[in-house]
Structure formats: C-alpha cells, structure tokens
Amino acid sequence: MTREPHLHRDGTWVGASVPRREDPRLLTGRGRFVDDIRLPGMLHAAFVRSTEAHARIASVDLSAVREVPGVVAAFSAADLGLHDIVALLDRPLHEFVPTAMPVLAKDKVRFVGEPIAIVVARDPYAAEDGREAAVVEYEPLPPITSDSAALAEGAALVHEEAPRNTLVDVSLFATEGIDEVFAAAHTVVEVRARTGRQNALPLETRGAVAEWDDRDEQLRVHTCTQVPHQVRTVLAASAGLDEKEVRVIVPDMGGGFGLKCVVGREEIATAAAALRLRKPVKWIEDRSEALTASFLAREQRYTVRAAFDADGRIQALDADVVCDMGAYSCYPFTAGIEPLMASAEMPGVYKVPAYRVRGRAVTTNKAPTAPYRGVSRPQYVMVMERVMEKAARALGIDPVELRRRNVITEFPYRGVNDVTYDPGSYKESLDLCEQVLRDEGWFDRRGSDPAIGIGFACFSERTGYGSGAFAQRKMAVVPGFDVSEIRMDLDGTVSVTTGTLSHGQSHETTMAQIVADRLGIPYDKVKIVQGDTDRVLYGWGSFASRSITIGGSAAAASAEKLGERLRVIAAHLMDVDVESTELDGAGGVRAGDRRLSFTEIAEVAYLRSHLLPKDVEPGLSATASFDVGGDGTFSNATHAAVVRLDPGTGGVEILRYVCVEDCGVAINPKVVEGQARGGIAQGIAGALFEEVRYDDAGQPLAASFMEYKVPTAAEIPDVRIEHLETPCAFTANGAKGAGEGGTIGAPAAVLNAVNDALRHTGVELDDTPIPREAIFRALERAAEPALEAR
Amino acid sequence: MIQLIELTVNGERHDLVVEPRRTLVDVLRHDLGLTGTHVGCEHGVCGACTVLVDGAPVRACLVFAVQCEKTDIRTVESLADADGTLSDLQQSFADHHGLQCGFCTPGMLMLAEGFLAEEPDATKEEIRDVVAANLCRCTGYQTIVEAVDACARRRRAARQEVLGRSAS
Ligand code: FES
Ligand code: FES
C-alpha cells in the first residue's frame, strides 16, 4: 500500500473508506484485461455475421476465406459440430417455451449480426479481411421487428416451436375481487409506457483468449465474464469435454453491468477453434459488434391501471408487461429474466392490497437480451412512479404526500406479491430527500420558474436473492448460495476465495475489509481470489447486487471458521479451554494474559503438526457457504431530479440530483457512493439518451458511438448522496446490496421531473428515452396562445 | 507493404517494422507491449486510447504509427515513478475514487495530464468540459472531475509556495 489505510471510527475495517487494493495496478496501466493477454503463437478470430434479420441459410461457402493471406482456418456450424446452448425454466409449456441458441447459426439466422462462421488468422487485420470473403446465401423470411408485430395474428415465427412468438407468458397473483375494487374505486389512473432497447455498454467489449494445454489436459479460456463457472459448464457440454478439462479464468474486467453475466456464443466458438487447432486463439469484439450483436436489454411495454381511494391510497394494481427479448433466450436466465422480474416485484415500496399481472416475453429479430443492471426495475419503478404522479394530479394531492400515504412503514411486510420485505427506510428516505431539496431552495425556484420541474422516485430493490428466491422464479438452474474457502499461510496472511466476481465493484477491497475484521488482521494481509474455475470451488458470479450480501457473508463465515480453528489449536498449545480464548484483534489468540500470534499457530499447523490436537488436521484452512433462506433483503432509496427544459430545443438540463440511499451497513462508503453515482448516470442515459433502434427490415440503426449517444461529463450532473442505514438482520455486517439502485431510480426521477416541468402544457410523457421533439412540441404549443394574445 | 519507423515512447527509442495501416494504439499495445493504453471503440469517440503526442492528448486509434515519427509519445506507463509511487494525478484519482473498473482510466489520466500542463489554472467547469471528451461507464464522472480539479489545486498551491518563497 502506498498509504496508511485508516480504520473506521469503531476500530473496524468495515465502514471505512479505505483505499482500493485494485487502484495501483489500474492507475499505472499494469492491470491485465483480456485483450492484454498475448500467448506465443496466438491466432486471431473474427466472425462472419448475418446481414439479414430473418432468413434461412441456403449455403455458407468459406472456400474464398481460406485463400485470404494470413487466414489459417475458417469454421461454420457444420465444421465445429457444437451442441446448442439451451436455457430452461421449470415451467409448463404454456408458460415457457424452451428454445435453443446454436453457437454458430445453423439452418436459420434470427438477427443482423448473428455469428455464422469463425475465421482464424495470423493477425486481426487478416481475420477481418478473411471474413469479408465469406459467401452466405440467404432465403429471406419476414422480419419481426416489434413486440406488436411478433404478437400479430399469422406473424412469421422466429422460433417455429414458439407460437405467437411468445417464449414466456405468465399470469400471476390475481387477487380475488380485484375487478370489483376497480369498479368501485374513487379514482383509476392508467399508464401506458414503452421503454427503449439499451446496451449495457461496458467500456471494455467482450473477448476471449483460449488455448489447449497438453500438460494440464485442459482448454484454458481467459474471458471477461461475470459467470465463469456457467461458461465452463456450457463450454464443456457444447464441446463434449469434461468440466475438469475446462478452466475459465477472468482477468481484470472493464465493466459488465449484466451484459457479461450470460454465456456468449463467441467465447464458446473461440474456445472450440483453439481446441480444434491446438493453438491459442484470441477474439476481441469491436464496438460495432458490441452495439449490434452482443446482448441488449430493457425494451418493454407496460399497460397498467391503478385504483385509488379518495385519500390517495392505492387499492389495486393491474399490469400487463410485454418484453421484447430479441432472438434468443440467454443462459442461464432465459427470456423470462425481464417479465418475471417485473411481474414479481412491481408493487415495490407501496402497500398494494390487490394485484394482478400478466408478463410476457416475445421473441423478435433483434439481438438477444441479457440482464442489465436493475433488470426491469428501472422500468416498473418508472411506471409505478408515474402511477403515483398521475394519482396525485387527479386527486389534487401533493405527490410526495401521496407517496407518504402509500409506502410500507411497518416491517416485516408481507406483500401481495408473496414477498416478505425486511426493514427499510422508505418513508424516512422520502422525507429526507424532500427536505434536502427544500433546504437547497429548489421548491422556491420551481415556484418562480415554470421551466423547472422536480421529480421523485421512491423504490426498493431486492438484493440478497438466495436459492429460495430464484427457485420461486422457477429457474431450472437455481443460483443463490456462495461458497468461500480460506487459507492462512505460515506468515499469518490469508487467501480467501469468493464465487462472486468483481468487475469494477472493488471486491478485492471490500471483501478483504470483511475478512480482516473477522480475524483481526490488516486488510492488506487478505488476498481475495476470484474468477478462476480451478481455484474457486464454485460460484454464481456477480449480478443482482448479490456479491456483498451473499459472497461477503460466505467470506465472513469461512473467516469465522478459520478463527475458531486458530482458537482450538491455540487452546491446546496453551493448555486452556477453547472457551477461554479469543482472537485479540491484533493477529493473535489470547487467553487471559497469555497470547499466541497467528504466525506461531501457523508454524505448528504446518511445520510441527505433531504438536496439534489429535482431532485437528494439519494446515489452516476452512470452507463455508452462505445462502439466504427467506425472501432476501431489500435496499431502498429515494431519488429526486430537478430539471429545466429548453423551449428552443426541447433539451433537458438536470440542475440537481439528490439520492438518499439505504443499503444497510456500507462496507466502504466511498465504494457505495461510486456505485450509486455510476448507476444514476446509466439511468439518466436510459431516460434521455440511449436507444438501439432497428429499421423495418431489422437492420440496427446504431453501429457506432456516432449513432448511440452515451452521455458524457457534460450531461451527467453531480449527485448529492445522503446515507440512511437500516442494517440487514441476516447478512454478515448487516450489508444489503448496492450495485444497481442508482440505475433503478434515475429514469423515474428524471421522467417525473420532465413531466413536472411540462405541468403548464397539458402534455404528459411516459416513454423513455424521452423524445426531445415531444418536449419541444409541447412547449411550443403551450406558448402559442400566449403569442395569439399579443 | 511494410515500413521501417522509429518511435520514441516514454523516452525510449524503438525501431519498428509496421504496415502503414497499423494504428498507433495497436503498435503501442501489441508491438511494444504497453497495454496500459486501452481500446474502447476504434472510432475516436470514447477516448480510452488517449496518449500524449508532443504533450497534446491524441486518440491513438485515429492516427497511424507511421505518422508519429519524430514525436515524443507518452503513455500511462510513464506517469508513476520507477518504484511504483503514483504521480500526484494518479494519487488524486485513487483518493477521490475516480475509477472503478479502470478501463477508461489511462485515457482519462493522459487527457488530464495533457490538459493541466496546458491550462494549469483551469476552473472546475473547464475541467468538466475536458473530461467530457472521454467516456466512462462506471463512475458518473463526478469523481473524475473532482480528482483532476483537486490535483490542479494542489499543483497551484505548490507553485504559489515556490513563488512565495522565492519572493521572500
Ligand atoms: S478507442 Fe480510440 S477513441 Fe475509442
Ligand atoms: S472506471 Fe470503468 S469505464 Fe471508467
């Protein structure tokens, strides 16, 4: 470490914003990302990709490719003979239709950019030259480019086995008497909203470097994935290898945000080519592939009604959600990922007594969908927050007050969606967020400037999804637990494995803080081992804000077990009862005024094992796992955006952004704030800027950063963050997840603020990205009568 | 077609045989092994590939290596001391949590390094405008702007002190 780390005021590592262990290498250009890996004799791959959105493949001719100088080999699906990737749900056929994703397209292509063949050459330039020489003949089929076209009577089928292009169709909850509640309601509001297709857009694109190693008898694959063990399973099955013959290693990763938490076809094909050629092969996705042919997310359509009583209390919620999942079901989550999340969680922070939802996943001829930070929650929270705003307007109640009347205040709360919410600070966060804006004078400024609008978003986010919660979703492959192995070496330093995988979230630091506290050693004496299927027992990777809640708890448990072992050995050596010993917080075990340092204990465990108690094995290691038994834990937050609209352009300027967040105990507050700010930036991107559009022929319209507008420091405002702390009762340290919340709240807060700023125009906008032109026209029309009056 | 060129990178001279179409970033990363400079788009928008050419920030994916003969090229690998001690700018990024995944970081550092050398008195707003030239997907930019601003302030304070001392 270059600087003395500082402890938290309680004398613990947890709670302190200690410097990140990751920083020195990343700041000096000495990190190792997948494209930094260079193996002797390494070849380079490029993919021949479909130019058609929907077509039968009549023929694939790679003979000219193989003639291109520098090209070593070219393989089509028939050449490699790999098994398809199939993701399953444990649901009946009328709820879920299983479909296969071939590694390389076989008889049919289903989106522009779909990989058809892999070209391997001596350098990347030659590989690209080679792919240009491929000749693919297509028999075009009608392209399906929207959810409504997919569902239309007689529509062409993207997958023949899925009638009406529907992969998932679930109707859930349907509280008895819900129709009567609507019939008798004082006020019913309706929201129809569409959210645009987005790219999660890690700045590092996908990639893989694969090689067969004869000495290890292993296919070694370095790839930037959030789920290395799942890649191993798919690769082994696809290539017909034993799992022990596959090793997946994850180097430093330039972001993932969910896009890298599914198994991609290209990394499998690259590995298969390396296996076939017995030479190292590298594939690095270029930006245009990343935008058009990786995984996308978030294209959803909501039709929602909500009933309210005269006091503004919500009485019932009726929702229909259609998610355009594109061409394939992703592994391991399936095409159910978005509709099932939205259906299960939509009531959110509000006391909704009656609920009915239909959630559907439709397949279209667009790049497929993977989970993206927040998964559906940015969308349904936005819809729920529009519901609250519309009800407030209809009833003439202040929107914050209306939320106050509806948020859950007593915990644990059993929701209409069969979920038990653990304690949170829903009302407190709302109150504090409003107070901050008031203190900063934003309500006064809004009063004097009609172009200024203020919008709120109040939400919670389930973060500790254990196996129980995933099983409730009826996944056939059920993620949830994490398992951690810890080892103390001779000098008293420890290595701890985690099945989670940091790709920017600082786990090398935060997990070390957790373990350091458990053992009473400095956090830089703790090494976190992750992202290697040979070194990590098993893992589900990092997604759904699960790393600190579940992975952190497993690491804490293994450290505690090791601590017990140290005490048992020390007690034996000091000839005292184990009960009379304790870890002394300074790298040793004490009993009364006697003490043994960890080094002294380790020396016995390894070098003089004949001195160990009879029932204690040599060495110092322990393994422990953690799962969340019940429904998980909920982080929560209230966000507020203050915007000003530009009548000249319809542009939206965010003047202020406030986030009051509660993720339980923050392991490292600076890291939590970083997650919130980064998440908010992505949420703003979805609200105002980013959309992957397709034309009617299914051609993607954004193939570079020229067409896909990623916001910069000029568009993303500074964010004021306030912390509340409602500790979780069943995770180590009381932590709740913090990875996704920022992204979830921002679209709702920004959309509500824009609508508030349109309050004089009579126009309401419910779609994202918010069309600038619609704002412009609304303001223009509102200004017209004033012109006429002159 | 290949060409023999001479490049000076981080003060070190290299003789290289390259195709004229080979970009500077490919030469730095793959021929010289300086993988600190990253590639995020290859079409000049993200700035992950930013290096200094004669002191000015340049997108290394947009220039060919053959164009950079007789220039002084500096990459992120040149910032820290030989013993690994971080430069004041790098330390400021660490102190302000100005990086998460670290993929954009080398480009951001070189952008800021070049800019602050030109404009040591830049205001925070001017710094924000410059940071807006590059993309970061993780941080939301605020802490990057704060890191660069804090470094600029510290450099100014140090300069003042030197001036003050020489005046007295
Ligand atoms: S890689 Fe050069 S600007 Fe993006
Ligand atoms: S830190 Fe990840 S892109 Fe900037």
Side-chain angles (χ1 to χ4, degrees), chain A residues 49 52 175 345 447 468:
Chain A
R49 294 182 181 276
E52 294 288 321
T175 314
E345 312 275 352

Side-chain angles (χ1 to χ4, degrees), chain A residues 582-629:
Chain A
E582 58 180 353
L583 300 187
D584 71 353
V589 178
R590 81 174 152 227
D593 53 7
R594 298 174 62 195
R595 176 182 191 271
L596 280 175
S597 71
F598 290 166
T599 332
E600 289 168 308
I601 300 167
E603 276 176 13
V604 170
Y606 289 104
L607 307 181
R608 283 185 292 283
S609 59
H610 61 286
L611 298 177
L612 286 171
K614 268 189 202 56
D615 50 347
V616 172
E617 287 178 6
L620 282 174
S621 64
T623 304
S625 65
F626 183 82
D627 197 351
V628 174

Side-chain angles (χ1 to χ4, degrees), chain A residues 203, chain B residues 100-102 104 136-139:
Chain A
L203 199 56
Chain B
Q100 289 181 27
C101 78
C104 70
C136 170
R137 194 57 165 176
C138 298
T139 61

Side-chain angles (χ1 to χ4, degrees), chain B residues 64-110:
Chain B
F64 298 111
V66 294
Q67 295 171 281
C68 299
E69 279 199 288
K70 302 204 172 65
T71 65
D72 174 28
I73 300 164
R74 280 186 65 205
T75 69
V76 68
E77 284 88 350
S78 71
L79 293 180
D81 291 351
D83 68 357
T85 306
L86 300 180
S87 77
D88 57 346
L89 182 64
Q90 289 168 315
Q91 188 60 53
S92 195
F93 268 64
D95 293 345
H96 289 85
H97 194 28
L99 66 157
Q100 289 181 27
C101 78
F103 198 78
C104 70
T105 311
M108 288 287 185
L109 286 168
M110 299 319 284

